[in-house]
Amino acid sequence: SMAAGVTIRTIRETLGLPCPVVRIMPNLPVALGKGVVLISPDDTVTEDELTALEEALKPAGLLMRVPEDKLDAGSEVSGCGPAFVYLFLDALANGGVSLPYPQALTLAAQTMIGAAEMALASGKHPGKLQSEVCSPGGTTIAGVRALEQRGARAAAMDAVIAAYERTCELTAH
């Protein structure tokens, strides 16, 4: 099932059958094979069944097994995250006011792709990578300072937390 907020227990009770249940939570970029699919099996799913499911889902992108009690938290990062990224992407492109928007958008999008791939490939903490881009007294650190002054980091964290809290509200009913 990929129904958000519908627990394995609820699925089992609704079906009324003793069958294996796996919850999955894909995100929008799976349409390009660049997404994330979180996978949360119940304890009756065999390793062979999980392997077969993962083989079928492999073209979607990154597959990550998570326990069901962590599925919602993971979904707020990977499932809601694209909307947050698109917001920042649009803001970066709009910041390039002296360029035509389509050109600025292409630059911003490729920059985000490259930065994300660098973070994954290098294994370095994002703060370390940020420090490698910033020169003391330079233009980048001035921009980072402006983002920090306006609470960009806190806003991003709050967005994920707000999404998680909303999920908890919805599943409580």
Side-chain angles (χ1 to χ4, degrees):
S1 170
M2 59 182 198
V6 180
T7 65
I8 289 172
R9 180 179 176 184
T10 300
I11 294 166
R12 275 205 189 130
E13 289 172 358
T14 301
L15 292 175
L17 301 170
C19 61
V21 176
V22 179
R23 288 184 62 199
I24 64 170
M25 292 307 301
N27 67 3
L28 185 60
V30 300
L32 297 175
K34 299 285 187 178
V36 173
V37 181
L38 300 178
I39 301 171
S40 183
D42 72 10
D43 56 4
T44 67
V45 179
T46 68
E47 190 59 37
D48 286 345
E49 290 168 327
L50 270 175
T51 300
L53 175 63
E54 289 174 340
E55 191 60 35
L57 294 173
K58 189 189 275 185
L62 174 71
L63 308 177
M64 183 178 287
R65 293 184 192 181
V66 295
E68 186 179 27
D69 67 339
K70 303 296 183 204
L71 190 64
D72 289 338
S75 294
E76 307 323 336
V77 175
S78 64
C80 299
F84 308 149
V85 170
Y86 300 143
L87 181 77
F88 192 72
L89 175 61
D90 186 48
L92 278 179
N94 280 312
V97 294
S98 64
L99 295 171
Y101 182 82
Q103 192 175 27
L105 179 60
T106 298
L107 292 173
Q110 186 57 50
T111 297
M112 290 178 79
I113 291 167
E117 288 184 4
M118 178 71 105
L120 291 174
S122 71
K124 293 179 183 178
H125 188 280
K128 171 70 174 141
L129 291 169
Q130 177 187 313
S131 71
E132 291 175 8
V133 177
C134 295
S135 302
T139 58
T140 306
I141 195 63
V144 168
R145 181 173 179 262
L147 286 169
E148 291 288 5
Q149 285 176 327
R150 287 161 181 81
R153 182 188 313 259
M157 293 167 61
D158 287 350
V160 175
I161 292 165
Y164 179 74
E165 289 172 347
R166 181 63 178 144
T167 296
C168 291
E169 289 171 10
L170 292 172
T171 57
H173 294 100

